[in-house]
Amino acid sequence: QMLGSLAHEMKTPMTSIMGYADSLLHVNLREEQRARALSHIHEECGRLGRLGSKLMSLLGMYDNDSIQMEEVALQEVFDRVVRAEEAHLREKGVTLRQSCEMGVRRMDRDLFESLLINLIDNGIKASREGGVIELSASGEQITVQDHGCGIPEQEIARVTEAFYMVDKARSRREGGSGLGLALCERIAWLHEAKLRIESVVGEGTTVRIVFYKTFTS
């Protein structure tokens, strides 16, 4: 499970790094665009370097102090997640819209970004070209909603099990391992939240991260 988790979590940063590197190599960018691409590559490489020890701690395999809970402005997290997903969204022809009415929360920034990226990745995979995904936050919950293929009702209760895949053929074709939502649930638990999943086949899926209590700094 640890190896699968590491491989799963490396995919999105590596895709983002490769996309920006490809632009630097093959596209005539303005100087500010080059600086932005290099900054993003540096940022994602740093996150990759930190994720290994954080996941080991999260999965109870190693007792370390790599998980750092701090007060973070959620809008900053949203902005970083949107940047990380730009290449994947562009490749699949899907639009991501965001709305954040939540202020500061206490979190491990790297792990919480991974939670949101996993949910958005699932939405992208489920969406058709031209589809829209909404990332929003208000009150005590964060919502990721797609309008894609949806999940059969009898499968919803099992999608957070490690290695469980609803559409095994599609998941393997797209490099999935079935670990995404299992990790999401674990990360949500760490942040005193739980996942609520609602889905209708042919209409889409809504995943809510619901916090147990109001945060006060």
Side-chain angles (χ1 to χ4, degrees):
Q1 184 174 354
M2 179 62 193
L3 288 172
S5 298
L6 283 171
H8 185 278
E9 290 307 294
M10 286 175 65
K11 280 183 57 184
T12 297
M14 289 302 297
T15 299
S16 183
I17 289 167
M18 290 173 65
Y20 277 96
D22 187 67
S23 294
L24 288 168
L25 287 168
H26 301 113
V27 180
N28 186 20
L29 301 175
R30 297 192 302 272
E31 187 57 36
E32 62 269 25
Q33 292 174 314
R34 287 177 58 82
R36 181 186 175 204
L38 287 168
S39 175
H40 188 77
I41 289 171
H42 183 268
E43 186 177 278
E44 288 296 275
C45 285
R47 192 163 76 89
L48 268 177
R50 295 187 299 268
L51 273 176
S53 57
K54 289 177 184 285
L55 284 171
M56 288 178 72
S57 181
L58 181 68
L59 296 172
M61 296 185 68
Y62 189 66
D63 186 15
N64 60 42
D65 58 358
S66 60
I67 295 178
Q68 299 287 333
M69 304 297 284
E70 58 183 334
E71 293 185 11
V72 179
L74 190 62
Q75 183 64 65
E76 292 179 11
V77 174
F78 274 24
D79 291 341
R80 285 164 61 97
V81 166
V82 170
R83 288 199 304 272
E85 289 289 68
E86 280 180 353
H88 194 189
L89 289 159
R90 187 166 54 248
E91 177 189 355
K92 298 295 185 179
V94 175
T95 299
L96 175 61
R97 297 175 182 162
Q98 62 153 309
S99 171
C100 184
E101 298 176 10
M102 189 182 293
V104 172
R105 292 217 67 105
R106 188 167 176 79
M107 64 177 67
D108 180 288
R109 185 193 292 267
D110 291 322
L111 289 176
F112 206 83
E113 286 176 9
S114 288
L115 165 55
L116 295 178
I117 286 169
N118 269 302
L119 297 182
I120 293 167
D121 274 346
N122 287 345
I124 294 172
K125 291 172 186 175
S127 298
R128 292 176 286 273
E129 185 174 356
V132 175
I133 297 170
E134 285 101 21
L135 169 64
S136 61
S138 62
E140 295 301 314
Q141 69 179 26
I142 298 169
T143 303
V144 178
Q145 181 177 20
D146 69 64
H147 305 277
C149 59
I151 303 168
E153 184 178 358
Q154 67 272 19
E155 306 277 0
I156 293 175
R158 298 194 62 192
V159 293
T160 55
E161 294 177 12
F163 304 109
Y164 186 78
M165 293 178 278
V166 175
D167 186 339
K168 295 178 178 62
R170 190 188 73 187
S171 295
R172 289 179 180 136
R173 185 170 61 249
E174 296 183 352
S177 62
L179 278 166
L181 285 174
L183 284 173
C184 287
E185 189 171 62
R186 197 74 169 264
I187 295 170
W189 170 82
L190 177 70
H191 291 84
E192 298 184 307
K194 57 185 174 182
L195 297 185
R196 290 182 179 167
I197 303 171
E198 304 161 9
S199 191
V200 177
V201 173
E203 296 183 15
T205 301
T206 300
V207 182
R208 306 183 198 278
I209 305 166
V210 183
F211 295 96
Y212 301 142
K213 55 187 178 182
T214 303
F215 172 75
T216 54
S217 58

